[in-house]
Amino acid sequence: MTAPARPPSTRHAPAGAGVELLFLRDEDMRQAQDLLMLACRSFTAIIDDALHAYGLGHAHYRIMQAVALQPGMAVGALLDTLGITKQSMSRALGELLSMDLVRQETAAGDRRRRELHLTARGSEIENHLFSLQREVLLRVYRNAGGKAVDGFRRVMHGLIDESDAPGVSTGALHPPDRSSK
């Protein structure tokens, strides 16, 4: 007598760099959540010493990143992009302005609109902080391979697209050319 046939597995065997899942369990989702949290913590920690040396915090750097990616960004658009309270942004932005790392200009077409730009020193600091994280990204991307990088980008774009946050778009910001830095 033969043994009864087993039901088909809900999981595929490992394929290439990852595992194709037909069914995602809570453990898989918890692991993804945990990995995102730990990756964010590790990635932001890369610049902690440099931020401290400059007398800056992560909120300052997030503002500088957004302004570097979109020079001339209005203060209101910055609020939407960062998804923080006006009070939180006001404190950090005020410090960046007083440290002469960001400058505020009145828009030519609308005198009520205030546009933000990095100063030369602000750009220098932002580029240095970016270069620290860039080195880690380059190493990790090279180790993971092209398909994994493409999958990572699709996942991150998907998370952003699922967001209800105003001003958040996967195509809204155009990064500056930093290839020579």
Side-chain angles (χ1 to χ4, degrees), residues 13-97:
V19 176
E20 289 241 4
L21 302 176
L22 292 178
F23 176 74
L24 296 171
R25 302 171 303 170
D26 278 350
E27 301 95 73
D28 297 314
M29 296 298 97
R30 288 283 182 191
Q31 182 185 42
Q33 182 184 37
D34 193 41
L35 288 170
L36 278 168
M37 181 202 54
L38 293 172
C40 277
R41 186 180 74 189
S42 294
F43 190 66
T44 57
I46 293 165
I47 60 171
D48 281 348
D49 290 341
L51 282 172
H52 181 73
Y54 291 125
L56 300 172
H58 289 281
H60 298 107
Y61 183 51
R62 287 181 65 205
I63 291 170
M64 292 172 74
Q65 277 181 299
V67 173
L69 289 169
Q70 198 169 351
M73 168 183 267
V75 173
L78 179 62
L79 270 172
D80 289 343
T81 298
L82 297 180
I84 58 177
T85 66
K86 195 173 193 177
Q87 182 179 3
S88 295
M89 190 191 70
S90 180
R91 182 192 55 78
L93 180 58
E95 290 169 352
L96 289 170
L97 290 165

Side-chain angles (χ1 to χ4, degrees), residues 145-175:
K147 285 186 178 183
V149 171
D150 183 54
F152 168 75
R153 287 182 180 149
R154 285 197 327 263
V155 168
M156 299 308 282
H157 282 281
L159 289 172
I160 293 168
D161 290 343
E162 288 286 323
S163 168
D164 289 336
V168 176
S169 168
T170 56
L173 301 178
H174 305 286

